[in-house]
């Protein structure tokens, strides 16, 4: 059976007790921790740097960490985040002067590499880079802030990427980021997603496990209809 990955985003976590909050969400069934790195330049918000990731590793967090660089430029931060325990590093093609070089840098530092596509970013970059990618991230909101509504056009884009991967036989994870909730995660799964970045839907809840269990049930229910 296909393994679907839930990736709680720490952008919505309690930073006053971050280590404990992340441990709680992992114990409740989260698979991957999603790091939203914003520079108040490429996107209109300022968040966290490599020291936060390093502190979580020191705290004892061993789960995979998925670093989403919403920064411009990206190369210096690729080096910094790879040294402190990242597993995946993804960036926006518009933020790199030499996309292929940035992808290669991520891999040379021992991490999985990926590109992130904003709602209006063309998939044409994949014509030249798909064979080099481990993960493709589709933004279902405009990046910068949590608790936004899912943009419906993302589903058609998701279907296109799923078909591109399957037709070419690539082993690439498709991650969808933004506006994912219990009532839409099943549909997103049936359109081809493998990993789901979830922020406020989990962290605004008083019971992380209940939300995560409900999301997995919705994915399983929707997936069973395809069989």
């Amino acid at each position: 059976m296909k393994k679907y990955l839930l990736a709680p985003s720490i952008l919505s976590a309690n930073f006053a007790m971050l280590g404990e909050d992340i441990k709680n969400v992992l114990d409740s069934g989260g698979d991957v921790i999603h790091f939203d790195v914003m520079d108040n330049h490429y996107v209109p918000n300022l968040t966290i740097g490599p020291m936060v990731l390093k502190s979580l590793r020191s705290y004892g967090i061993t789960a995979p960490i998925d670093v989403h660089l919403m920064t411009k430029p990206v190369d210096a931060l690729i080096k910094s985040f790879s040294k402190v325990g990242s597993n995946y590093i993804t960036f926006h093609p518009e933020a790199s002067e030499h996309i292929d070089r940035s992808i290669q840098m991520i891999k040379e530092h021992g991490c999985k590499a990926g590109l992130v596509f904003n709602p209006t970013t063309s998939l044409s970059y994949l014509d030249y880079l798909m064979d080099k990618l481990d993960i493709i991230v589709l933004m279902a909101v405009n990046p910068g802030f949590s608790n936004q509504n899912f943009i419906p056009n993302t589903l058609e884009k998701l279907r296109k990427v799923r078909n591109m991967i399957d037709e070419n036989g690539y082993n690439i994870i498709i991650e969808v980021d933004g506006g994912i909730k219990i009532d839409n995660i099943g549909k997103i799964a049936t359109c081809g997603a493998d990993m789901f970045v979830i922020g406020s839907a989990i962290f605004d809840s008083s019971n992380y496990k209940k939300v995560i269990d409900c999301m997995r049930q919705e994915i399983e229910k929707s997936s069973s209809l395809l069989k």
Side-chain angles (χ1 to χ4, degrees):
M1 183 176 291
K2 180 176 178 177
K3 171 68 172 176
Y4 293 96
L5 301 172
L6 301 188
S9 168
I10 70 169
L11 185 62
S12 299
N14 183 348
F15 275 76
M17 45 186 295
L18 188 58
E20 184 178 340
D21 210 18
I22 296 308
K23 183 178 184 303
N24 185 10
V25 80
L26 289 169
D27 289 345
S28 298
D31 300 298
V32 177
I33 295 303
H34 186 79
F35 251 67
D36 287 302
V37 182
M38 307 182 193
D39 64 357
N40 200 33
H41 172 64
Y42 181 72
V43 293
N45 198 359
L46 184 65
T47 57
I48 50 181
M51 289 181 65
V52 177
L53 195 158
K54 184 179 181 181
S55 69
L56 285 177
R57 289 302 194 202
S58 297
Y59 181 83
I61 300 301
T62 59
I65 291 181
D66 170 32
V67 174
H68 174 192
L69 296 178
M70 286 168 274
T71 64
K72 187 176 182 176
V74 298
D75 288 357
L77 284 174
I78 286 171
K79 295 177 182 178
S80 297
F81 273 99
S82 66
K83 292 177 181 177
V84 292
S86 304
N87 300 96
Y88 302 92
I89 298 179
T90 63
F91 65 95
H92 295 254
E94 305 94 333
S96 173
E97 296 297 326
H98 301 283
I99 300 170
D100 185 80
R101 184 183 297 163
S102 297
I103 292 170
Q104 188 60 35
M105 184 182 299
I106 293 171
K107 294 192 171 191
E108 286 173 353
H109 284 82
C111 301
K112 301 290 187 181
L115 283 183
V116 186
F117 292 85
N118 286 333
T120 59
T121 301
S122 170
L123 295 174
S124 60
Y125 290 99
L126 295 178
D127 294 340
Y128 308 96
L129 295 162
M130 205 164 187
D131 61 321
K132 299 175 175 65
L133 299 176
D134 302 298
I135 183 167
I136 295 169
V137 185
L138 299 180
M139 295 301 299
V141 298
N142 290 301
F145 298 95
S146 60
N147 207 20
Q148 298 185 63
N149 292 327
F150 185 90
I151 296 174
N153 292 1
T154 308
L155 295 177
E156 182 56 33
K157 205 171 191 178
L158 173 57
R159 292 187 190 99
K160 288 180 181 178
V161 175
R162 180 81 270 162
N163 288 336
M164 292 169 73
I165 291 173
D166 293 346
E167 287 174 2
N168 290 282
Y170 291 124
N171 183 24
I172 301 174
I173 293 171
I174 304 179
E175 177 180 310
V176 178
D177 184 351
I180 298 177
K181 303 185 185 303
I182 292 172
D183 61 4
N184 64 11
I185 195 169
K187 179 67 172 177
I188 298 166
T190 60
C191 290
D194 304 297
M195 189 187 302
F196 309 83
V197 178
I198 307 151
S200 56
I202 292 177
F203 286 106
D204 286 357
S205 167
S206 61
N207 189 328
Y208 298 169
K209 187 176 189 307
K210 182 178 179 180
V211 174
I212 289 172
D213 287 349
C214 285
M215 287 184 165
R216 292 201 185 279
Q217 289 167 12
E218 289 299 315
I219 292 172
E220 185 175 348
K221 188 192 309 180
S222 297
S223 299
S224 65
L225 296 176
L226 296 177
K227 297 177 181 177

Short mmCIF file of all heavy atoms in Angstrom, two decimals, residues 91-120:
data_model
loop_
_atom_site.label_atom_id
_atom_site.label_comp_id
_atom_site.label_asym_id
_atom_site.label_seq_id
_atom_site.Cartn_x
_atom_site.Cartn_y
_atom_site.Cartn_z
N PHE A 91 13.57 24.57 -2.93
CA PHE A 91 13.65 26.00 -3.17
C PHE A 91 12.83 26.36 -4.41
O PHE A 91 12.43 25.48 -5.18
CB PHE A 91 15.11 26.45 -3.33
CG PHE A 91 15.80 25.87 -4.54
CD1 PHE A 91 15.86 26.59 -5.74
CD2 PHE A 91 16.39 24.61 -4.50
CE1 PHE A 91 16.49 26.06 -6.85
CE2 PHE A 91 17.02 24.07 -5.62
CZ PHE A 91 17.07 24.80 -6.80
N HIS A 92 12.61 27.64 -4.60
CA HIS A 92 11.82 28.12 -5.73
C HIS A 92 12.75 28.41 -6.91
O HIS A 92 13.79 29.05 -6.74
CB HIS A 92 11.07 29.39 -5.33
CG HIS A 92 10.04 29.16 -4.28
ND1 HIS A 92 8.69 29.14 -4.55
CD2 HIS A 92 10.14 28.91 -2.95
CE1 HIS A 92 8.01 28.91 -3.44
NE2 HIS A 92 8.88 28.76 -2.45
N PRO A 93 12.39 27.97 -8.11
CA PRO A 93 13.27 28.19 -9.27
C PRO A 93 13.56 29.67 -9.52
O PRO A 93 14.66 30.01 -9.98
CB PRO A 93 12.50 27.56 -10.44
CG PRO A 93 11.09 27.40 -9.96
CD PRO A 93 11.17 27.22 -8.49
N GLU A 94 12.61 30.53 -9.19
CA GLU A 94 12.82 31.97 -9.40
C GLU A 94 13.89 32.54 -8.48
O GLU A 94 14.40 33.65 -8.70
CB GLU A 94 11.52 32.75 -9.16
CG GLU A 94 10.33 32.29 -9.97
CD GLU A 94 9.47 31.28 -9.24
OE1 GLU A 94 9.99 30.54 -8.37
OE2 GLU A 94 8.27 31.22 -9.55
N ALA A 95 14.24 31.79 -7.43
CA ALA A 95 15.16 32.31 -6.41
C ALA A 95 16.61 31.91 -6.64
O ALA A 95 17.48 32.29 -5.86
CB ALA A 95 14.71 31.83 -5.03
N SER A 96 16.87 31.16 -7.70
CA SER A 96 18.24 30.72 -7.98
C SER A 96 18.68 31.20 -9.35
O SER A 96 17.93 31.07 -10.33
CB SER A 96 18.34 29.19 -7.92
OG SER A 96 19.61 28.75 -8.34
N GLU A 97 19.89 31.73 -9.43
CA GLU A 97 20.44 32.15 -10.71
C GLU A 97 20.83 30.94 -11.57
O GLU A 97 20.83 31.01 -12.80
CB GLU A 97 21.66 33.05 -10.49
CG GLU A 97 21.37 34.36 -9.79
CD GLU A 97 20.44 35.25 -10.59
OE1 GLU A 97 20.51 35.23 -11.84
OE2 GLU A 97 19.63 35.96 -9.96
N HIS A 98 21.17 29.84 -10.90
CA HIS A 98 21.59 28.62 -11.60
C HIS A 98 20.91 27.44 -10.90
O HIS A 98 21.45 26.85 -9.96
CB HIS A 98 23.11 28.46 -11.56
CG HIS A 98 23.84 29.61 -12.17
ND1 HIS A 98 23.95 29.78 -13.53
CD2 HIS A 98 24.47 30.67 -11.60
CE1 HIS A 98 24.63 30.88 -13.79
NE2 HIS A 98 24.95 31.45 -12.64
N ILE A 99 19.73 27.10 -11.37
CA ILE A 99 18.89 26.11 -10.70
C ILE A 99 19.58 24.75 -10.63
O ILE A 99 19.61 24.10 -9.57
CB ILE A 99 17.54 25.97 -11.42
CG1 ILE A 99 16.81 27.32 -11.42
CG2 ILE A 99 16.68 24.90 -10.76
CD1 ILE A 99 15.57 27.35 -12.30
N ASP A 100 20.15 24.32 -11.74
CA ASP A 100 20.82 23.02 -11.77
C ASP A 100 21.96 22.95 -10.75
O ASP A 100 22.14 21.95 -10.05
CB ASP A 100 21.35 22.75 -13.18
CG ASP A 100 21.96 21.38 -13.31
OD1 ASP A 100 21.18 20.42 -13.48
OD2 ASP A 100 23.20 21.26 -13.24
N ARG A 101 22.71 24.04 -10.62
CA ARG A 101 23.82 24.08 -9.67
C ARG A 101 23.31 24.01 -8.23
O ARG A 101 23.90 23.33 -7.38
CB ARG A 101 24.63 25.36 -9.87
CG ARG A 101 25.87 25.45 -8.99
CD ARG A 101 26.57 26.78 -9.20
NE ARG A 101 27.04 26.91 -10.58
CZ ARG A 101 27.39 28.07 -11.14
NH1 ARG A 101 27.30 29.20 -10.44
NH2 ARG A 101 27.81 28.10 -12.39
N SER A 102 22.20 24.69 -7.96
CA SER A 102 21.64 24.66 -6.60
C SER A 102 21.14 23.26 -6.25
O SER A 102 21.33 22.78 -5.12
CB SER A 102 20.49 25.67 -6.49
OG SER A 102 20.95 26.98 -6.68
N ILE A 103 20.52 22.58 -7.21
CA ILE A 103 20.07 21.20 -6.98
C ILE A 103 21.27 20.31 -6.69
O ILE A 103 21.25 19.50 -5.75
CB ILE A 103 19.28 20.68 -8.21
CG1 ILE A 103 17.96 21.42 -8.35
CG2 ILE A 103 19.04 19.18 -8.09
CD1 ILE A 103 17.24 21.14 -9.65
N GLN A 104 22.31 20.46 -7.49
CA GLN A 104 23.50 19.64 -7.31
C GLN A 104 24.15 19.91 -5.95
O GLN A 104 24.63 18.99 -5.27
CB GLN A 104 24.51 19.92 -8.42
CG GLN A 104 25.71 19.00 -8.42
CD GLN A 104 25.34 17.54 -8.59
OE1 GLN A 104 24.39 17.21 -9.30
NE2 GLN A 104 26.06 16.64 -7.92
N MET A 105 24.13 21.15 -5.50
CA MET A 105 24.70 21.50 -4.21
C MET A 105 23.96 20.78 -3.07
O MET A 105 24.57 20.27 -2.13
CB MET A 105 24.63 23.01 -4.01
CG MET A 105 25.28 23.52 -2.73
SD MET A 105 25.10 25.30 -2.55
CE MET A 105 25.99 25.87 -4.01
N ILE A 106 22.63 20.75 -3.16
CA ILE A 106 21.83 20.05 -2.14
C ILE A 106 22.25 18.59 -2.06
O ILE A 106 22.48 18.04 -0.98
CB ILE A 106 20.33 20.18 -2.47
CG1 ILE A 106 19.87 21.63 -2.33
CG2 ILE A 106 19.51 19.27 -1.54
CD1 ILE A 106 18.46 21.88 -2.85
N LYS A 107 22.38 17.95 -3.21
CA LYS A 107 22.72 16.53 -3.24
C LYS A 107 24.15 16.28 -2.77
O LYS A 107 24.43 15.29 -2.08
CB LYS A 107 22.51 15.98 -4.64
CG LYS A 107 21.04 16.00 -5.07
CD LYS A 107 20.81 15.19 -6.33
CE LYS A 107 19.33 15.05 -6.59
NZ LYS A 107 19.04 14.06 -7.63
N GLU A 108 25.05 17.17 -3.12
CA GLU A 108 26.44 17.02 -2.68
C GLU A 108 26.57 17.11 -1.17
O GLU A 108 27.51 16.56 -0.58
CB GLU A 108 27.31 18.10 -3.33
CG GLU A 108 27.58 17.85 -4.81
CD GLU A 108 28.30 19.01 -5.47
OE1 GLU A 108 28.47 20.07 -4.80
OE2 GLU A 108 28.68 18.88 -6.64
N HIS A 109 25.62 17.78 -0.54
CA HIS A 109 25.63 17.89 0.93
C HIS A 109 24.77 16.82 1.59
O HIS A 109 24.46 16.90 2.78
CB HIS A 109 25.15 19.29 1.34
CG HIS A 109 26.18 20.36 1.14
ND1 HIS A 109 26.40 20.95 -0.07
CD2 HIS A 109 27.08 20.91 2.01
CE1 HIS A 109 27.37 21.84 0.05
NE2 HIS A 109 27.81 21.83 1.29
N GLY A 110 24.36 15.80 0.82
CA GLY A 110 23.72 14.63 1.39
C GLY A 110 22.24 14.73 1.64
O GLY A 110 21.68 13.91 2.38
N CYS A 111 21.57 15.70 1.01
CA CYS A 111 20.13 15.87 1.20
C CYS A 111 19.37 15.57 -0.09
O CYS A 111 19.94 15.59 -1.18
CB CYS A 111 19.82 17.31 1.62
SG CYS A 111 20.62 17.82 3.15
N LYS A 112 18.09 15.26 0.05
CA LYS A 112 17.20 15.12 -1.10
C LYS A 112 16.86 16.52 -1.61
O LYS A 112 16.65 17.44 -0.81
CB LYS A 112 15.93 14.38 -0.71
CG LYS A 112 16.15 12.99 -0.15
CD LYS A 112 16.61 12.02 -1.21
CE LYS A 112 16.66 10.59 -0.68
NZ LYS A 112 17.14 9.63 -1.70
N ALA A 113 16.77 16.66 -2.94
CA ALA A 113 16.60 17.99 -3.54
C ALA A 113 15.24 18.13 -4.22
O ALA A 113 14.74 17.18 -4.83
CB ALA A 113 17.71 18.24 -4.56
N GLY A 114 14.68 19.34 -4.12
CA GLY A 114 13.40 19.56 -4.77
C GLY A 114 13.16 21.00 -5.18
O GLY A 114 13.82 21.92 -4.68
N LEU A 115 12.19 21.17 -6.09
CA LEU A 115 11.76 22.49 -6.52
C LEU A 115 10.35 22.75 -6.02
O LEU A 115 9.53 21.83 -5.92
CB LEU A 115 11.76 22.59 -8.05
CG LEU A 115 13.09 22.77 -8.77
CD1 LEU A 115 12.84 22.92 -10.27
CD2 LEU A 115 13.85 23.97 -8.24
N VAL A 116 10.09 24.03 -5.73
CA VAL A 116 8.78 24.45 -5.24
C VAL A 116 8.13 25.35 -6.28
O VAL A 116 8.76 26.29 -6.78
CB VAL A 116 8.92 25.23 -3.91
CG1 VAL A 116 7.53 25.54 -3.34
CG2 VAL A 116 9.76 24.46 -2.91
N PHE A 117 6.88 25.07 -6.59
CA PHE A 117 6.14 25.83 -7.59
C PHE A 117 5.02 26.62 -6.93
O PHE A 117 4.10 26.04 -6.34
CB PHE A 117 5.58 24.88 -8.65
CG PHE A 117 6.65 24.25 -9.50
CD1 PHE A 117 7.29 23.09 -9.06
CD2 PHE A 117 7.03 24.81 -10.70
CE1 PHE A 117 8.29 22.52 -9.81
CE2 PHE A 117 8.04 24.24 -11.46
CZ PHE A 117 8.67 23.09 -11.02
N ASN A 118 5.10 27.94 -7.04
CA ASN A 118 4.01 28.80 -6.58
C ASN A 118 2.77 28.58 -7.43
O ASN A 118 2.85 28.00 -8.52
CB ASN A 118 4.45 30.27 -6.65
CG ASN A 118 5.43 30.63 -5.56
OD1 ASN A 118 5.46 30.03 -4.49
ND2 ASN A 118 6.26 31.63 -5.82
N PRO A 119 1.61 29.06 -6.98
CA PRO A 119 0.38 28.83 -7.75
C PRO A 119 0.45 29.27 -9.20
O PRO A 119 -0.18 28.65 -10.06
CB PRO A 119 -0.66 29.63 -6.96
CG PRO A 119 -0.17 29.59 -5.55
CD PRO A 119 1.32 29.67 -5.66
N THR A 120 1.21 30.33 -9.50
CA THR A 120 1.29 30.81 -10.88
C THR A 120 2.61 30.49 -11.57
O THR A 120 2.86 30.95 -12.68
CB THR A 120 1.05 32.34 -10.94
OG1 THR A 120 2.03 33.00 -10.13
CG2 THR A 120 -0.35 32.69 -10.44
#
